[in-house]
Amino acid sequence: MNTPGEPPKVTNRSLAGRLFLFAAGSFAFGFALVPLYDVLCSVWEVGNRWTGEKAVAVVEHPQADRLVTVEFMTSVPNNGRWEFRPLVAALQVHPGQLYSAQFHAQNLSGHDTVGQAVPSVAPSVAAQHFRKTECFCFTPQPFRKDEGRDMPVRFIVDRDLPADVDRVTLSYAMFEQPALAAVRQ
Amino acid sequence: MAHADTHAHAHAHADDGHDAHGHAPSGIGRWLFATNHKDIGTMYLVFALTMFFIGGAMAMVIRLELFQPGLQFVDPGFFNSMTTMHALVMIFGGVMPAWVGLANWMIPLQVGAPDMALPRMNNYSFWILPFAFTLLLSSLFLPGGAPAGGWTLYPPLSLQAGDSFGLTIFAIHMMGASSIMGAINVIVTILNMRAPGMTLLKMPLFCWTWLITAYLLIAVMPVLAGAVTMLLTDHYFGTAFFNPAGGGDPVMFQHIFWFFGHPEVYILILPAFGIVSEIIPTFSRKPLFGYESMVYATGSIAFLSFIVWAHHMFTVGMPLAGQLFFMLSTMLIAIPTGVKVFNWTTTLWRGSISFEPPMLFALAFLFLFTIGGFSGLMLAIVPADFQYHDTYFVVAHFHYVLVPGAVFGIMAGVYYWLPKWTGYMYNMKLANWHFWLSTISVNVLFFPMHFLGLAGMPRRIPDYNVQFADWNMVASLGGFAFGLSQIMFVWIVVKSVRGGGVKASARVWDDTVSEGLEWTVPSPAPHHTFDTPPVIK
C-alpha cells in the first residue's frame, strides 16, 4: 500500500470518509435485518409474529365428574413487612370452570409502599394448565401506610390437566418494590 | 520483521535536545484539547482504570449479596441493576477504552508514524466517553433506578424500565460513536501512516490484531446502534419492531443483538492475542513461531464471528438445520484459536524463558483463556447448552475469557510497556505479588461457578437454594481477594509514573528478539516521535 518515498495513494481524509460510509452501511444493515428476518421466518415457518389469524372464543365445559384440590399459600421474603394470607386455605374445583379466591395483604412497613406478588404453581407439570384470567400479581399493588385489603385472583384449571394430578398448589411471594414506589409518587 | 535504521534512533535523541516546541503543553488545556496520541492514550487508560474500579465495586455488591443464601444487603431490583451496570461498565467503559488507549499509545510507535492519522477526531472520540458514562451512571440516582433488564437489553423486559431507559440508550449511542471513530482512526493510521518499508506483514502482531478488531468494530457497532434505536422508538414513538401485537417479534431483537454481540466478544479479546504474541517471544528469547499463521488465524476468527451468533440463543427455538449450522460453525472457531495456542506453546518450546511480570500475565492468559475456550466448546453443543443456558456455567465461561483473558491481556500489556511510557522500571516484587494474588483469587472466584452452573444455579438471581451455599461463599471470598489485589496494580502504576527507582533503557527488557519500533525510541518515549519516518530494512 505504502511504498517508500511515495505519498499514500488515498489521503487520510478520503480513507476515513470511506470507512464512515462503511459504518453507515452497517447501521442500515441493522435495519435491513428486520425485513430479512420476516422473510426467513416465513420460509422456515418459525418466529412469534402475528400471522393474521383471528382469536376464537372457546367455551369451556366444566368437567363435573372430576375434582381437583387447589391449595393457596403465601410467603413474605425478608425485604418488606407484610401481613399476607389467603382467605381460604384450599378449594375443591372442577376443571374447566372459572373460580375466584381472595388474598388479604396489609402493609406493616410503617410507610407508603408498593408490593409485587410473584406467583408459583406446583407441581410444575400443572403450571401450564393453571390459567389465571385476573390476578393481583399482574400489576404492582400500591399500599398506603397501614392499609390492608383483599385482592382477587380468578382462575380456571383446564381440562388437559394430567389425570394423575389431583392437587395443585398456588403460592405467592410478596416483595416490596421501593423503586416502583418512588416512581409513583 | 522490522529493523529500524540507526539514523532513526539517533534522530529521536536529537529531537529531544533541539526541539523546544517538542515539549508537552501545560495545564488543563493539554488534556482538554489533546491531539497527541500519547496524551490521548494516557487519558483512555486512566478512564478505563477508573471504570474498572466502578464496575468492580458493582461486582463486589453482587458477590456480597451472593455470599449467603437469602436476601441480606440489597433488594432484588437493585441487584438486577448491579448485574446490568457491571456488564455495561466493564465492557464499554473498562475493556474497550483500555484497548483503544493501548492502540493510541503503541500503534503509531510500532508502525513508525508521528501520530494517529486523525488527531482531532481522536480527541473527540475520547471526550465523548466521560459524558456517555455520566449519563449511564447517573441513572443509578433516578426514580426507578438504573437499567435492570440485563446488559443484553432484551425486550419486552428492557422496555419496562423507568426514566433510565432513554439515558441508557443514548449512552450506548455515544459509546458506539466513540468506538467507531477510534476504530476508523486505527485503520487509517495502519493503512496510510506506516513508515517506508514497514510492509503489512512486518507489523507487530498487536497492530495486526487491532486492525482486524477495528474492522469488526465498524461492521458491528452500528448494528448495535440500530438495534437500540429500534428499542428507543418502540418505547417512546409507538413503533412495534419487537411487540407481537404490532407485528414485531421479541426474538428478532436477540438475533440483531447477537449479530453485534458475538463479534463484540472478539473485539474484547483479539488485541489481547496481539499483546501475548509479542510478550511470549520477548521473554522466551525466540522469534514468534508461525507469524503469518497468527495473522490468518486472527482473520479467520474474525470472519467466523459473523456466522455463529445464534449459539447465544439456542433455547428460543430455531429449525434443526439452524441449530446444526450454528453449533458446527461455533466449533470451527476452535481451529484457528487452536492454531494460536499451538503457536504460543511452540514459541515457548526450548526458549530461554524468564518470568518477569508481563510474561507471568501472558502465561496465565495462555492457560486460563484456554480453559474459557474449552467451556465455550461445551456450550456450543446444542443439547448440552439447553441444560447450561442461563446458569452460572455461562457466567464462569465468559468470565474466564474476559478476566484472565482480556483483562490479564491488558495488564500484561501495561506491565510490558509501562517502563517505555514512564521511563522507570516499576517495582518487580510488588508486581509479582499482584500477579500471584490476582491469578489465585481469580480462579477461586470463577472456577467454582462451573460447579454451581452444572448443579443448576441460575444467573441474575439474588437468592439461591441452600445447596449452592458453600461454593458461592468460596467464590465471594475469591472475589473480594481479587478486588483488593487490584489496588496493588494502581499503586505500582502510580509509583512508576511518579518516577524514582531504576531508569528504563530504550530496549527496556534487554532482549534481542522484540523488533517493534517502540524499542528504538528512548524511555520515556518523547512527546513527539518519528517526526522523520524511520527506514525499515
Side-chain angles (χ1 to χ4, degrees), chain B residues 364-377:
Chain B
F365 170 93
L366 177 56
F367 190 72
L368 298 174
F369 175 80
T370 307
I371 291 180
F374 280 137
S375 56
L377 274 174

Side-chain angles (χ1 to χ4, degrees), chain B residues 444-465:
Chain B
V444 175
L445 166 58
F446 294 124
F447 209 83
M449 292 185 185
H450 291 110
F451 313 145
L452 289 169
L454 292 177
M457 177 171 161
R459 42 187 299 215
R460 294 175 168 158
I461 311 280
D463 192 2
Y464 49 83
N465 195 305

Side-chain angles (χ1 to χ4, degrees), chain B residues 255-499:
Chain B
H255 281 285
I256 301 176
F257 180 87
W258 287 112
F259 183 83
F260 145 80
H262 200 81
E264 169 70 14
V265 304
Y266 292 104
I267 289 166
L268 299 174
I269 199 68
L270 288 184
F273 290 172
I275 283 183
V276 168
S277 302
E278 293 186 31
I279 291 175
I280 288 182
T282 300
F283 296 97
S284 304
R285 286 150 189 92
K286 271 178 69 191
L288 183 69
F289 184 86
Y291 171 87
E292 282 189 35
S293 68
M294 285 297 209
V295 174
Y296 297 132
T298 312
S300 313
I301 292 172
F303 169 74
L304 288 171
S305 74
F306 285 104
I307 57 164
V308 299
W309 75 88
H311 67 213
H312 294 271
M313 38 186 291
F314 281 138
T315 53
V316 300
M318 65 187 76
L320 180 65
Q323 294 182 344
L324 284 172
F325 173 79
F326 288 112
M327 174 169 84
L328 295 172
S329 58
T330 303
M331 290 180 170
L332 266 184
I333 297 178
I335 296 173
T337 314
V339 168
K340 287 183 157 298
V341 173
F342 174 82
N343 284 345
W344 290 323
T345 314
T346 313
T347 307
L348 290 168
W349 174 250
R350 294 190 171 169
S352 173
I353 302 174
S354 60
F355 296 94
E356 283 86 347
M359 182 62 160
L360 288 173
F361 275 98
L363 291 175
F365 170 93
L366 177 56
F367 190 72
L368 298 174
F369 175 80
T370 307
I371 291 180
F374 280 137
S375 56
L377 274 174
M378 292 170 70
L379 286 162
I381 303 165
V382 177
D385 181 76
F386 278 31
Q387 175 73 20
Y388 304 150
H389 187 81
D390 261 350
T391 68
Y392 258 81
F393 191 79
V394 178
V395 179
H397 158 69
F398 68 71
H399 279 100
Y400 257 89
V401 287
L402 280 176
V403 184
V407 172
F408 273 28
I410 293 166
M411 285 174 175
V414 170
Y415 279 131
Y416 189 48
W417 287 312
L418 191 60
K420 175 57 67 187
W421 303 336
T422 66
Y424 291 97
M425 300 307 282
Y426 46 85
N427 186 330
M428 293 288 163
K429 197 170 181 180
L430 272 183
N432 281 333
W433 269 99
H434 172 232
F435 168 76
W436 285 108
L437 287 173
S438 297
T439 304
I440 293 168
S441 59
V442 87
N443 283 291
V444 175
L445 166 58
F446 294 124
F447 209 83
M449 292 185 185
H450 291 110
F451 313 145
L452 289 169
L454 292 177
M457 177 171 161
R459 42 187 299 215
R460 294 175 168 158
I461 311 280
D463 192 2
Y464 49 83
N465 195 305
V466 285
Q467 66 168 316
F468 305 126
D470 293 350
W471 284 124
N472 266 301
M473 188 176 281
V474 171
S476 284
L477 290 172
F480 302 146
F482 185 76
L484 288 174
S485 310
Q486 302 322 306
I487 295 169
M488 294 182 70
F489 180 65
V490 180
W491 175 249
I492 293 162
V493 172
V494 167
K495 285 269 283 182
S496 170
V497 170
R498 290 169 74 184

